[in-house]
């Protein structure tokens, strides 16, 4: 800490001083753990599908309905959550989100009918709403610009690790104690992370964004700082479309990729069980490398275009070529790695179009595209499996990835480095 800083801030430790190395890494760590927790709760239900399906005598389409409810609520709520984050601050919304996630898990654990599962899936969707506007508001407020690519990368990595851990955690507890007890154990995760947030409360203060917004307004009196002014930016809408398409492709992997792969490639059960874990871990490796090599002023759109063009080709191979288990896992890992490599570029591209006064609103709105895409994709993919057409899932994923190439090109034309 500099002499002048210590003069004006008294006995403030390095971890309390925004922009210092210790402060940056403390904030990155806590926010990333919270993000991993949100992804963990997104996949608490999917690994339990075989047990819930048998218990309530459900079809694949009905199982997809529970996910649709989760993501519909999350999608509608995420945009609103962005406004609340800008108004009341990110920390309060983070605590509320974690508490609601715990309520959803405990509620599903005690559900006596599939209707109750769906109801608490909606509560889980409400819990999922604020995480992205919360996370990016805190990171943009607290982390120095030169560390932002790595901050975004680690944030994404922890999300993938949340996805990777969830199937192992949920299936493990289910095999030991039962699916209801597994959901109870998931609820305890939320309680522990709430305690972590309170332990580092000061390091999650995002009030600096309001100070930057005020300074920008003074420097540019013509700036549209109204509550809905950000919606006049075309790049914001294209960003929303990007996330919706990305989510549709990702939903194909997460929700029914395991079953589609078992039917197409006759995978042994051990390989099918490892499906989500391999995809998530390979994606995390790609994100770390992306965070290390990507700069704030990189040609972000070109990175995304190249990545998804290759990923689409791999998805087509998954659909049309009979693969042995080892080659299947290599291709699956390749898709995860390439997708992860592009993710830091994606989030930095969103940062370019987000005015300081509307960071929560922009990230809340564009990330609601994730929920919009995921809300309806499970119904379509579930219907494909019910119709015994697993090849359609991989072709659909490839089509979505090619659409991402086109959308990323358009986003690149509309954004400027900042």
């Amino acid at each position: 800490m500099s002499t002048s800083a210590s003069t004006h801030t008294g006995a403030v430790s390095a971890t309390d001083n925004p922009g210092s190395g210790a402060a940056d890494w403390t904030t990155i760590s806590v926010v990333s753990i919270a993000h991993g927790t949100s992804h963990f709760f997104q996949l608490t239900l999917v690994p339990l599908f075989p047990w819930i399906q048998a218990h309530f005598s459900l079809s694949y389409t009905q199982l997809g309905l529970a996910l649709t409810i989760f993501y519909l609520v999350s999608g509608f709520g995420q945009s609103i959550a962005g406004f609340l984050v800008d108004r009341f601050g990110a920390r309060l919304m983070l605590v509320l989100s974690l508490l609601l996630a715990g309520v959803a898990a405990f509620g599903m654990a005690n559900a006596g009918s599939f209707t109750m599962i769906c109801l608490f899936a909606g509560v889980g969707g409400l819990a999922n709403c604020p995480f992205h506007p919360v996370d990016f508001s805190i990171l943009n407020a607290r982390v120095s610009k030169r560390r932002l690519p790595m901050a975004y990368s680690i944030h994404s990595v922890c999300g993938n690790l949340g996805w990777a851990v969830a199937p192992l955690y949920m299936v493990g507890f289910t095999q030991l104690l039962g699916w209801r007890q597994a959901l109870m154990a998931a609820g305890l995760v939320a309680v522990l992370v709430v305690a972590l947030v309170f332990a580092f409360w000061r390091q999650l203060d995002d009030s600096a964004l309001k100070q930057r917004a005020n300074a920008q307004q003074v420097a540019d009196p013509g700036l549209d700082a109204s509550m809905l002014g950000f919606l006049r930016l075309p790049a914001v809408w294209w960003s929303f479309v990007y996330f919706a398409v990305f989510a549709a492709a990702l939903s194909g992997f997460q929700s029914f990729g395991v079953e589609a792969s078992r039917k197409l490639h006759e995978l042994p059960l051990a390989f099918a069980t490892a499906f989500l874990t391999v995809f998530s871990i390979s994606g995390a490796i790609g994100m770390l490398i992306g965070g290390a090599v990507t700069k704030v002023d990189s040609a972000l759109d070109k990175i995304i275009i190249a990545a998804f063009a290759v990923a689409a080709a791999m998805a087509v191979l998954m659909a049309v070529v009979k693969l042995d288990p080892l080659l299947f896992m290599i291709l699956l890992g390749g898709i995860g790695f390439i997708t992860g490599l592009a993710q830091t570029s994606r989030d930095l591209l969103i940062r370019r179009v987000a005015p300081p006064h509307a960071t929560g609103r922009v990230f809340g709105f564009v990330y609601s595209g994730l929920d919009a895409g995921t809300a309806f994709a499970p119904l379509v993919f579930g219907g494909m499996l019910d119709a015994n057409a697993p090849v359609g899932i991989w072709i659909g994923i490839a089509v979505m990835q090619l659409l991402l190439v086109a959308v990323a090109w358009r986003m690149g034309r509309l954004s400027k480095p900042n």
Side-chain angles (χ1 to χ4, degrees), residues 4-330:
S4 60
S6 60
T7 299
H8 292 292
T9 59
V12 177
S13 68
T15 56
D16 291 331
N17 181 22
S20 73
D24 280 358
W25 289 112
T26 299
T27 300
I28 291 168
S29 299
V30 178
V31 169
S32 296
I33 290 171
H35 185 227
T37 304
S38 75
H39 280 232
F40 172 86
F41 279 104
Q42 289 171 15
L43 281 187
T44 53
L45 195 58
V46 171
L48 304 183
F49 273 0
W51 289 274
I52 294 174
Q53 183 181 42
H55 186 85
F56 293 109
S57 301
L58 305 171
S59 68
Y60 287 113
T61 304
Q62 286 175 303
L63 290 171
L65 177 62
L67 297 180
T68 295
I69 291 171
F70 178 100
Y71 286 107
L72 276 177
V73 173
S74 181
F76 282 114
Q78 195 160 172
S79 296
I80 298 172
F83 286 86
L84 295 176
V85 168
D86 286 338
R87 175 66 178 84
F88 297 107
R91 294 179 296 184
L92 174 62
M93 299 304 298
L94 178 57
V95 170
L96 291 176
S97 298
L98 290 165
L99 291 176
L100 279 175
V103 169
F106 290 134
M108 285 189 286
N110 292 282
S113 65
F114 182 63
T115 300
M116 294 300 293
I117 292 283
C118 289
L119 174 64
F120 282 104
V123 175
L126 193 63
N128 194 56
C129 295
F131 278 101
H132 287 117
V134 161
D135 295 349
F136 286 106
S137 291
I138 294 172
L139 292 176
N140 287 332
R142 305 276 314 179
V143 177
S144 56
K145 184 176 178 180
R146 64 191 176 92
R147 293 192 183 95
L148 272 178
M150 186 53 70
Y152 285 4
S153 172
I154 293 173
H155 175 264
S156 296
V157 166
C158 285
N160 265 39
L161 291 178
W163 280 335
V165 168
L168 301 176
Y169 187 92
M170 300 305 294
V171 172
F173 269 99
T174 299
Q175 290 176 336
L176 284 174
L177 302 172
W179 67 269
R180 294 185 185 275
Q181 289 76 14
L183 285 165
M184 294 290 286
L188 293 177
V189 172
V191 175
L192 292 174
V193 180
V194 168
L196 178 70
V197 169
F198 279 121
F200 294 96
W201 189 252
R202 293 174 64 183
Q203 289 83 1
L204 304 179
D205 180 14
D206 67 326
S207 59
L209 285 179
K210 291 185 179 180
Q211 298 170 10
R212 294 178 201 168
N214 292 337
Q216 187 181 41
Q217 186 68 42
V218 171
D220 184 8
L223 179 70
D224 185 357
S226 63
M227 289 294 289
L228 297 176
F230 73 97
L231 292 176
R232 297 189 178 93
L233 300 173
V236 170
W237 286 96
W238 279 104
S239 300
F240 174 89
V241 172
Y242 178 97
F243 277 99
V245 176
F246 176 83
L250 185 62
S251 178
F253 280 101
Q254 290 184 333
S255 301
F256 298 108
V258 175
E259 285 299 311
S261 300
R262 287 180 63 186
K263 290 177 181 293
L264 278 173
H265 304 291
E266 300 176 358
L267 293 180
L269 182 60
F271 279 85
T273 302
F275 181 100
L276 291 175
T277 300
V278 169
F279 179 74
S280 298
I281 291 176
S282 62
I285 294 170
M287 290 171 199
L288 282 175
I289 294 175
V293 303
T294 306
K295 306 300 180 186
V296 172
D297 56 355
S298 297
L300 305 173
D301 54 322
K302 294 179 181 178
I303 295 172
I304 298 169
I305 288 169
F308 281 108
V310 174
M314 288 184 171
V316 171
L317 286 176
M318 303 280 262
V320 301
V321 177
K322 185 74 171 181
L323 302 171
D324 62 57
L326 180 59
L327 185 55
F328 173 85
M329 284 300 182
I330 290 172

